[in-house]
Amino acid sequence: MRHLAIYGVAAGALVVAMRVVEYRFLVVQHSVEIYGALIATAFAALGIWLGLTMTGRKVVVREVTVEVPVAAPAAPFVPDPARIEALGITPRELEVLQLIAEGLSNKEMAERLCVSENTVKTHASRVFDKLGASRRTQAVQLAKSQRILA
Amino acid sequence: MRHLAIYGVAAGALVVAMRVVEYRFLVVQHSVEIYGALIATAFAALGIWLGLTMTGRKVVVREVTVEVPVAAPAAPFVPDPARIEALGITPRELEVLQLIAEGLSNKEMAERLCVSENTVKTHASRVFDKLGASRRTQAVQLAKSQRILA
DNA sequence: CATAAAATCATTCGAAAGAATGACGACGGC
DNA sequence: GCCGTCGTCATTCTTTCGAATGATTTTATG
């Protein structure tokens, strides 16, 4: 694992840094709390980073925003919830479908949605099935013609 | 957030623990490295745990907007010849691009255009290049946003 | 709490798509 | 006649998709 290596290096560097600053802190009679707090903070951050990167996950604030229909001159798109529900398309599937329409690859979607590519493929496959599409371009075309996508 | 509370408590407890063991370590003339290493390890673990568990939670900000369907202006599509020419897209390439947007596969396009699949791929590749796309879905999206396709 | 619906992830495989080249004939302009 | 553009086709290789399943885990709900 690359991460372990990085972790090791970081740890080593920190030990060195510790040595360097050790005397200063001790001499200046600084309380060890500050010293420890710094290390604690640094390592906590490192730990968080590690936990996140090792699992490939990210802290996400998912924001589901429904299109706000401003006085748009030429785009009165109203997604048809009835159709969506009629086809049994789940929110996540719809999300994937939208990203497909935006031209993202499975890998890109996986990164943006913070899930594995396999999961994306599953959602994609299901929504294809529900739309009766066998290709993503076809799925987009069908979805748009049915007011499922803008 | 519960995690932050837990984190705070843990941090507090550690500071206390630090105070408790501070003298022992200092008195025994133990090198601060060991001391720091312990804290570092503990906090790294905590950080990892934090990173992992926090990602399990998803903050969903749901913004519900009431749709105000305006009378459809029926936007008439006018392909922009200028842009097409600016990109150097040939008629044949445009044709392929349109069929791609309709969701056809390379094979289907080949049949409809009465050319080989290789030829279709060539046209597709070229138009992708000119559009700066690396996927057909992306090409469609780009083309539509540039008024090249309906 | 039990259950159903969603969401997640994995594995395997074959098909499709895309990149990179090279080539060749038709056509039109200079 | 020569050159540039367009359309055509082929080959090779890598990547991406999509299908088919099965399993596990959340999440919502009765």
Side-chain angles (χ1 to χ4, degrees), chain A residues 62 90-93 115-116 118-119 122-123 126 135:
Chain A
R62 223 180 292 176
T90 71
R92 200 56 159 171
E93 286 164 2
V115 297
S116 81
N118 290 317
T119 303
T122 301
H123 289 316
R126 294 214 173 120
R135 277 173 295 285

Side-chain angles (χ1 to χ4, degrees), chain A residues 26-37:
Chain A
L26 286 182
V27 168
V28 192
Q29 290 287 55
H30 249 122
S31 67
V32 189
E33 281 99 330
I34 298 180
Y35 177 42

Side-chain angles (χ1 to χ4, degrees), chain B residues 44-58:
Chain B
L46 177 61
I48 290 180
W49 172 77
L50 259 182
L52 290 179
T53 51
M54 277 178 66
T55 55
R57 314 251 153 239
K58 292 155 190 167

Side-chain angles (χ1 to χ4, degrees), chain A residues 42-58:
Chain A
F43 266 81
L46 176 62
I48 290 180
W49 172 78
L50 260 182
L52 292 180
T53 51
M54 281 178 66
T55 57
R57 284 198 270 179
K58 296 168 189 170

